[in-house]
Amino acid sequence: MDAAILRTALRDAFPDVDLATMRIVRAPGRVNLIGEHTDYNDGFVLPVAIDLRAWIAFVRTRDRRVEIVLGDGARDGFDLDAIGEPRHGWIDRLAGMAWSLGELGLDLHGLRGVLLSEIPMGAGLSSSAAIEIAMAWALRDERPPLAPMKLALAAQHAENSFIGVRSGLMDPFASACGQRDAALMLDCRSLDYRAVPLPLDPYALVACDTRAPHRLESSEYNARRAQCEAAVEIVARAHPEVRSLRDVTMDMLPAIGVIDQVARRRAEHVVRENERVALAVEALEAGRMDSVGRLFAESHASLRDLYEVTSPELDALVEIAVATPGVVASRMTGAGFGGCTVNIVERGAVERLRHAVEREYPARTGRQPAIYVLAATGGAGEVAA
Ligand code: GLA
């Protein structure tokens, strides 16, 4: 985003501030290539930080007040010394991040800022985590404000303990730690991660947005977590060393099924999805894109049939994509229940996919899609104002 746009927005929102002291921070959204609903099961994920970002232009103040204005003119704020309870509005994500950094005993300062985001809201591209990570960069003078993994954990703590959504580490991790032209394979138990370079000369990364609201997303999301915990509890009766679905193997699944068929299906998805992450990394590194395509297809089918988090719109987008020559891999990405698919597409076939989706998706669903051709970017940071 152009600094001039941010400068104008800041001047319009706060006519009295000294624009010479303006600073700009930004944090990316993400697509997850594979490893869905595995992060909160101590498993593996493979997200990519993308060039759709949340931006905050701000001036630091001497007071302890944080005042933020959005692109649509909405205005809200909070006092760093009296953050209080969530108010069930957009400010909660920003206040929650300040609360979480405060819990760590870190120095924060007041500010007047504008928050402009390129990440579509509710599209499953992690606009919330991007806003939280950008906020942390704005609230602290240290660079980075905190080691990137610690920052991601602080954002997760804000989501879990301030907002009350039991989300995993993947989204803030991708936003804080992203690397250019690469996906990141994260072990959500050890927190070790490594970059997996993407073949972005021959292939484009494309997100197709269902533009369908996330129906029941947070209640269904929390329900999936509870079902995973139920599966672990059943296995642990015979195998006390099992602490999470990360430790469960296929031969343990029948015992879950005797007691709880839903929990067995959820567990089977997670066990196999973790295997698929390792296989996808191997295939990407060896340039075996046909294998990547097969693994994406298996992941989507498993999320549809075993984990039950896809939607007719997501299934339609994947079916349209895989029937389009030059699309090598397609699956839903993120929590599901709406949101986006992620696609790996031969560069020469991107327009073909766009046309196919624009023609067939509205006919099948009555909705207008959106299509984003993405770059893989670095994590959050401050840029020249
Ligand atoms: C959401 C959560 C993540 C992760 C995904 C599903 O994006 O925020 O932590 O659980 O869903 O993989």
Side-chain angles (χ1 to χ4, degrees):
M1 187 173 300
D2 203 59
I5 295 174
L6 291 157
R7 180 178 301 271
T8 305
L10 186 62
R11 189 197 57 210
D12 292 350
F14 299 101
D16 298 337
V17 300
D18 176 6
L19 286 178
T21 61
M22 179 179 91
R23 297 166 67 182
I24 298 175
V25 293
R26 64 179 192 188
R30 63 100 189 90
V31 285
N32 186 25
L33 293 187
I34 195 161
E36 218 65 86
H37 290 279
T38 46
D39 60 353
Y40 52 82
N41 290 302
D42 280 353
F44 297 92
V45 292
L46 189 63
V48 177
I50 57 176
D51 58 336
L52 296 173
R53 304 176 174 99
W55 298 76
I56 300 177
F58 66 99
V59 295
R60 203 194 141 136
T61 55
R62 285 183 200 287
D63 58 16
R64 302 280 297 156
R65 181 86 194 147
V66 174
E67 285 280 340
I68 297 282
V69 173
L70 303 185
D72 65 4
R75 179 182 290 256
D76 208 343
F78 55 90
D79 202 321
L80 285 169
D81 298 320
I83 291 174
E85 297 292 313
R87 289 177 243 158
H88 306 289
W90 57 268
I91 196 71
D92 290 346
R93 295 236 135 64
L94 306 176
M97 193 69 217
W99 169 82
S100 184
L101 295 173
E103 293 262 291
L104 295 172
L106 298 171
D107 279 340
L108 307 177
H109 56 70
L111 58 86
R112 305 290 178 269
V114 289
L115 164 62
L116 303 185
S117 181
E118 300 153 343
I119 310 166
M121 300 265 291
L125 297 178
S126 189
S127 61
S128 303
I131 287 168
E132 288 156 1
I133 299 292
M135 190 67 207
W137 276 79
L139 284 168
R140 276 185 52 81
D141 280 336
E142 294 292 307
R143 292 293 175 253
L146 195 60
M149 183 62 82
K150 289 198 170 134
L151 191 55
L153 289 164
Q156 186 193 9
H157 184 51
E159 284 282 332
N160 294 174
S161 302
F162 189 80
I163 310 276
V165 177
R166 301 184 65 205
S167 50
L169 183 60
M170 170 170 71
D171 301 351
F173 159 73
S175 189
C177 302
Q179 290 189 24
R180 201 174 157 189
D181 294 343
L184 299 176
M185 184 193 187
L186 170 68
D187 177 337
C188 298
R189 172 168 276 168
S190 69
L191 304 188
D192 288 340
Y193 67 95
R194 71 180 177 89
V196 178
L198 294 172
L200 291 171
D201 280 338
Y203 300 104
L205 204 54
V206 181
C208 297
D209 187 348
T210 58
R211 306 271 302 276
H214 286 220
R215 276 178 299 267
L216 300 173
E217 186 190 334
S218 64
S219 60
E220 286 292 328
Y221 185 91
N222 287 346
R224 292 299 177 286
R225 285 199 67 148
Q227 290 155 353
C228 291
E229 285 159 8
V232 171
E233 203 193 295
I234 295 167
V235 176
R237 290 177 202 165
H239 303 274
E241 73 284 3
V242 166
R243 286 185 290 131
S244 71
L245 288 182
R246 164 71 174 271
D247 306 316
V248 169
T249 49
M250 290 298 283
D251 56 301
M252 298 175 182
L253 297 179
I256 306 175
V258 170
I259 295 171
D260 185 339
Q261 276 297 340
V262 172
R264 187 201 60 80
R265 288 204 299 278
R266 307 300 189 240
E268 182 177 343
H269 165 74
V270 173
V271 172
R272 300 291 308 277
E273 185 78 354
N274 278 328
E275 294 168 4
R276 282 189 284 269
V277 176
L279 293 171
V281 168
E282 271 176 44
L284 275 168
E285 288 181 334
R288 282 188 279 103
M289 299 309 282
D290 52 335
S291 305
V292 176
R294 261 196 312 278
L295 292 161
F296 271 41
E298 284 172 26
S299 171
H300 187 84
S302 176
L303 289 157
R304 184 188 60 214
D305 302 335
L306 296 175
Y307 219 71
E308 297 177 279
V309 293
T310 73
S311 63
E313 291 90 350
L314 285 166
D315 296 341
L317 280 177
V318 167
E319 286 163 25
I320 295 164
V322 297
T324 304
V327 175
V328 301
S330 180
R331 55 177 290 280
M332 62 150 271
T333 188
F337 312 105
C340 285
T341 63
V342 57
N343 304 269
I344 302 177
V345 186
E346 287 170 11
R347 291 241 168 231
V350 171
E351 287 311 300
R352 193 182 305 139
L353 173 63
R354 186 191 297 280
H355 291 139
V357 167
E358 284 173 353
R359 192 176 57 242
E360 291 169 40
Y361 179 74
R364 285 181 62 167
T365 64
R367 294 180 187 279
Q368 290 301 323
I371 291 154
Y372 315 105
V373 181
L374 303 168
T377 69
E382 176 159 2
V383 295

